[in-house]
Amino acid sequence: MSVYASSALSSHERSATRDRLGADCFVCGSVESVDVAHIIPQGSGSNTMLLDMRTWAAALLTFSKKSQENFMVLCPSHHRDYDDGKYTLVPTPAARADMIEHELTEFAEREQKIAEGRTDTGRTLWYPPQIEYGFEYIPISKKPLIQVFNETAYRTGFVFTTTDTLPHPGSPINVHPYALLAKAHGPLSQHGRFKNTRTNSAAADVIRLLSLYHRPIGPAAIPSGITPAAAVVLEDAVSVVAAASGGTATMPGMVALPGIPAAPHGGVAATSGAVMHGHGQGSSVQTPTDETEGGIG
């Protein structure tokens, strides 16, 4: 068994990778000869990918192309195909679902902190065992068949069946999930990629996660303690009044509106000091003038 890698890697780096990940190809299980491969490629063409990934969270600021977490073990054939974009690897469906749920929940909590004047400590990331170990093989240019070597001894250690249809449950293989996302985004965004239910699901999840990680953070739009149903009613009411008055409303508790819509008789309300009382069903907009002068009940 031989482990090869680019001359850019030292013998210590190759040995450390083999000790951490084993010396079997992640995709097919070959033990004949394997390479230490990069998830984020070495070339300067991947610099933008790496710099973008570092903006997602403070924990990624020190991640580099030479980080141990950026290495994986592939046979020469699958190494070449991975670098050429013929397939990609992504976190498992369960891991992706947990990553999305964590980001949505935490982002809302961060917005609420800002709205309350507390310090936003930034995004946190989940890693195994908070999310499921392993990864999923996603063909890009065609659907290949995966040959699993040494099935009797190694089958439970690998992610795929011989027909490339199902991930093996409980794969112990652990790679950096966020590096996989950064690398997979380009291939999965290609219009002409291979499409089936599994690849489409992976593409939707990866594209959504990167979109979520690029969102700007600001104060929560809806005060705490408002149910989702009430929030929808509140947002609808505010948007109607704001649109009618030509202004924008904010919602820190009682919603001050910058203007009042035209009165039913064609005139203009006497004041712009309208406020919204309550949230959800039964809420109302009140003005100091008569309720027929442009108010919305």
Side-chain angles (χ1 to χ4, degrees):
M1 169 175 37
S2 301
V3 177
Y4 300 96
S6 165
S7 58
L9 297 181
S10 67
S11 59
H12 171 73
E13 288 170 323
R14 293 194 295 271
S15 176
T17 301
R18 180 176 59 187
D19 291 343
R20 186 172 66 92
L21 299 174
D24 311 327
C25 175
F26 276 14
V27 174
C28 67
S30 172
V31 296
E32 296 304 315
S33 65
V34 290
D35 298 342
V36 175
H38 293 74
I39 300 174
I40 305 293
Q42 297 180 81
S44 60
S46 64
N47 288 346
T48 300
M49 182 191 307
L50 177 63
L51 292 174
D52 178 68
M53 176 181 158
R54 288 175 176 171
T55 69
W56 300 352
L60 298 175
L61 287 174
T62 58
F63 186 92
S64 75
K65 297 174 187 178
K66 297 196 74 174
S67 297
Q68 267 292 317
E69 294 80 5
N70 193 43
F71 300 150
M72 57 184 176
V73 179
L74 297 172
C75 69
S77 176
H78 284 116
H79 186 178
R80 182 171 56 253
D81 286 349
Y82 184 73
D83 287 350
D84 289 345
K86 293 182 179 179
Y87 72 92
T88 195
L89 302 172
V90 296
T92 66
R96 299 194 305 267
D98 286 342
M99 293 162 80
I100 290 171
E101 180 62 26
H102 169 65
E103 169 61 17
L104 292 173
T105 300
E106 183 186 61
F107 194 86
E109 293 170 351
R110 292 171 60 204
E111 285 186 314
Q112 189 58 41
K113 282 184 179 180
I114 295 173
E116 295 170 358
R118 294 186 288 153
T119 300
D120 173 35
T121 54
R123 175 176 288 112
T124 62
L125 301 176
W126 274 7
Y127 295 88
Q130 292 169 305
I131 58 175
E132 186 176 66
Y133 284 92
F135 53 87
E136 187 177 24
Y137 175 97
I138 303 295
I140 298 297
S141 61
K142 62 179 181 179
K143 182 175 180 177
L145 297 180
I146 302 300
Q147 173 70 40
V148 179
F149 290 78
N150 302 306
E151 285 194 2
T152 302
Y154 292 98
R155 185 178 179 88
T156 57
F158 295 96
V159 183
F160 319 107
T161 68
T162 53
T163 56
D164 179 36
T165 55
L166 296 171
H168 288 307
S171 166
I173 297 174
N174 183 21
V175 292
H176 198 285
Y178 299 95
L180 291 181
L181 290 179
K183 175 63 165 63
H185 182 261
L188 287 173
S189 299
Q190 294 176 10
H191 177 71
R193 65 171 174 81
F194 177 78
K195 295 179 175 67
N196 64 12
T197 300
R198 187 158 63 92
T199 61
N200 291 345
S201 176
D205 287 348
V206 170
I207 292 170
R208 185 182 185 193
L209 277 165
L210 265 67
S211 176
L212 292 176
Y213 295 155
H214 288 139
R215 289 181 299 173
I217 187 73
I222 302 295
S224 60
I226 305 299
T227 65
V232 170
V233 175
L234 175 59
E235 289 175 332
D236 288 346
V238 171
S239 63
V240 168
V241 176
S245 63
T248 301
T250 57
M251 297 173 289
M254 290 182 68
V255 184
L257 301 172
I260 303 300
H265 52 64
V268 177
T271 179
S272 61
V275 294
M276 175 170 283
H277 295 280
H279 304 292
Q281 294 183 1
S283 62
S284 62
V285 175
Q286 177 184 348
T287 77
T289 59
D290 183 82
E291 64 180 4
T292 64
E293 297 286 318
I296 296 179

